[in-house]
Amino acid sequence: MKIGIVCYPTFGGSGVVATELGKALAMKGHKVHFISYSQPFRLNYFNENLFYHEVSVSNYPLFEYQPYESALASKLVDVAKHEGLDLLHVHYAIPHASAALMAKQILAKQGYNIPFITTLHGTDITLVGRDASFEPVIRFSIEESDAVTAVSESLRQDTYNIFKTDKAIEVIPNFINIEEYNGICDNHKCQRHHYASNGEKIMIHVSNFRAVKRVEDVLRVFDKVRKKVPSKLILVGDGPERANIEKLCRELDTCKDIHSLGKIVDPKEILSIGDLFILPSETESFGLAALEAMAMKMPVISTNTGGLPEVNEEGITGFLSNVGDVDHMAANAIKLLSNNALLAQFKKQAYEKALTFDIQNILPRYEILYNTVIRATKKVVLS
Ligand code: GMT
């Protein structure tokens, strides 16, 4: 198949999922064309089946806001026509689904029938999507998509609750490529002693440091943990909450026990030295960062919000708490970090659960969906 993938290229789960999906499809022989405003950060290698098309928006003094959606729709028309795409797969509804719908309508007028699939990732529904300034456009473009997928059952339900639509939504969960996690540190690249001294435990948090991630709770939990268990905290990522976090670590006097590493393109190596992952988000449709940690044999302390319980299994792969309940999160973290046998058992169980999300299990589901949508479009055109 010839597939056009639209995604955000920046640090964020939806871009990671879209890029890893495209890479895996290309490995299987499909031709995959990425279309975005800059090269997706995980698209760090090319093979003969991978292509990248940049959307550039001309500036003009009249534009207070550059019309990215129109430029994207125009680029989709161009790529679909000239590369002979079979379908478009857009990740994150805003504004990708409406741009794809516009492109589909333009292409149809010119005799090209190109279906599009929308994958909902989370905040496009639960935060931004429910904003009245976007709602009618998102609802319409979801309903006009040839197929819609959501990355968790929870997100599917949220979409129905928020948009009151009867559109069929298929749950295709996020995934990891487990092969890429095995043997990551065989070459001794990942050394704990750079971050923690002998006997100290390592907690890790990875996110884009937006308010929804509640990174302040990470620090409050860690502050309680380090008073009971000698430990260090590694923070990976950057974003709007970074200044607040630095202020809080000074107030709590924990800065000396925290390593802030900033943005890391691929956090596998750093995850491989961790003992416990923490994700105390306000809302999380899936929690890809938690799954990536589990694939690296890290149990997870998380909230019980959104799709997190579908990934982090209470008492098996880690523990779940109510949003903001830092005492409960800290108590569970201490339980795990102070008992090496229990920690080893949870590490094993976290890895086993991650295996169920291996790309080998998920990729065929996208391929089946692509084929179904392409066949259905051809049938409509012929009839
Ligand atoms: O919130 C983020 O980290 C970014 C956002 C995105 O779209 O890039 O993440 C959402 O999509 C990820 C991939 O499907 C999910 O793993 C995250 O749970 C989801 N974030 C939220 O729902 C807050």
Side-chain angles (χ1 to χ4, degrees):
M1 285 176 267
K2 290 185 181 171
I3 304 146
I5 291 186
V6 179
C7 66
Y8 279 104
T10 47
F11 288 76
S14 58
V16 170
V17 169
T19 310
E20 296 297 341
L21 175 63
K23 281 154 79 171
L25 287 163
M27 297 281 280
K28 280 191 85 173
H30 303 291
K31 302 262 182 234
V32 180
H33 295 259
F34 283 92
I35 303 136
S36 191
Y37 58 81
S38 77
Q39 186 169 318
F41 76 97
R42 288 247 185 128
L43 194 59
N44 46 8
Y45 79 94
F46 281 86
N47 78 10
E48 71 276 17
N49 292 329
L50 277 177
F51 307 88
Y52 165 61
H53 307 264
E54 190 152 308
V55 181
S56 53
V57 193
S58 317
N59 214 343
Y60 186 67
L62 197 62
F63 299 154
E64 187 167 343
Y65 305 102
Q66 286 185 308
Y68 177 65
E69 190 174 339
S70 302
L72 173 61
S74 301
K75 189 61 145 186
L76 294 179
V77 170
D78 185 70
V79 176
K81 233 167 32 183
H82 297 295
E83 302 292 347
L85 297 187
D86 295 307
L87 101 159
L88 294 166
H89 184 180
V90 304
H91 292 258
Y92 206 90
I94 315 165
H96 300 155
S98 42
L101 175 57
M102 167 76 86
K104 177 180 163 165
Q105 289 171 337
I106 296 169
L107 286 159
K109 286 261 180 216
Q110 300 178 9
Y112 301 89
N113 291 289
I114 318 280
F116 77 99
I117 295 173
T118 300
T119 289
L120 308 173
H121 279 272
T123 49
D124 46 352
I125 297 299
T126 56
L127 287 181
V128 198
R130 66 194 322 165
D131 184 323
S133 60
F134 292 116
E135 195 268 349
V137 172
I138 298 176
R139 177 204 300 277
F140 186 66
S141 40
I142 286 175
E143 287 179 345
E144 294 297 309
S145 299
D146 294 276
V148 179
T149 73
V151 297
S152 65
E153 181 54 38
S154 151
L155 182 58
R156 186 164 90 116
Q157 285 312 322
D158 281 344
T159 311
Y160 285 135
N161 294 339
I162 294 166
F163 288 95
K164 310 274 181 268
T165 174
D166 56 6
K167 180 79 183 176
I169 300 174
E170 182 174 347
V171 175
I172 303 187
N174 288 334
F175 53 84
I176 34 92
N177 184 346
I178 206 74
E179 269 183 14
E180 293 178 0
Y181 288 77
N182 296 334
I184 195 88
C185 280
D186 289 353
N187 54 8
H188 306 290
K189 264 194 289 185
C190 324
Q191 305 201 0
R192 276 181 78 102
H193 69 260
H194 292 313
Y195 300 93
S197 52
N198 263 350
E200 279 184 322
K201 293 290 192 287
I202 297 179
M203 290 179 70
I204 301 186
H205 171 77
V206 180
S207 78
N208 48 21
F209 284 55
R210 283 189 285 136
V212 70
K213 302 294 175 180
R214 296 183 68 101
V215 189
E216 290 194 4
D217 286 359
V218 173
L219 264 67
R220 293 190 193 284
V221 170
F222 174 66
D223 186 41
K224 290 174 191 294
V225 171
R226 76 186 178 120
K227 287 176 180 152
K228 300 277 184 204
V229 186
S231 44
K232 290 283 193 289
L233 172 66
I234 297 179
L235 296 175
V236 179
D238 206 346
E241 289 299 302
R242 181 73 180 260
N244 288 341
I245 297 311
E246 280 165 10
K247 189 164 160 268
L248 183 63
C249 96
R250 285 192 283 269
E251 276 167 30
L252 296 171
D253 193 25
T254 51
C255 303
K256 61 181 182 314
D257 290 327
I258 298 177
H259 301 278
S260 284
L261 307 187
K263 288 181 182 172
I264 293 181
V265 171
D266 187 348
K268 288 188 193 76
E269 287 177 4
I270 200 73
L271 288 173
S272 75
I273 63 164
D275 295 299
L276 188 60
F277 191 78
I278 173 158
L279 194 62
S281 307
E282 179 90 35
T283 153
E284 201 69 69
S285 71
F286 183 88
L288 183 65
L291 177 61
E292 292 190 326
M294 286 159 58
M296 215 34 115
K297 304 190 173 77
M298 289 177 81
V300 174
I301 295 293
S302 74
T303 42
N304 52 16
T305 180
L308 281 170
E310 295 171 47
V311 181
N312 183 20
E313 232 178 299
E314 169 70 19
I316 308 283
T317 64
F319 293 102
L320 299 150
S321 306
N322 291 332
V323 174
D325 192 345
V326 291
D327 288 333
H328 192 253
M329 288 183 244
N332 285 327
I334 293 164
K335 183 164 35 177
L336 283 174
L337 293 177
S338 58
N339 180 338
N340 282 339
L342 189 66
L343 183 60
Q345 184 193 330
F346 271 67
K347 283 186 176 191
K348 183 168 165 284
Q349 288 164 184
Y351 179 72
E352 282 166 1
K353 174 84 183 205
L355 288 179
T356 65
F357 292 96
D358 185 35
I359 191 152
Q360 299 300 334
N361 301 329
I362 309 296
L363 190 65
R365 296 186 55 188
Y366 277 114
E367 288 177 294
I368 290 169
L369 182 65
Y370 290 172
N371 272 314
T372 309
V373 164
I374 292 168
R375 269 204 306 271
T377 305
K378 283 193 179 136
K379 223 183 258 169
V380 171
V381 173
L382 291 175
S383 62

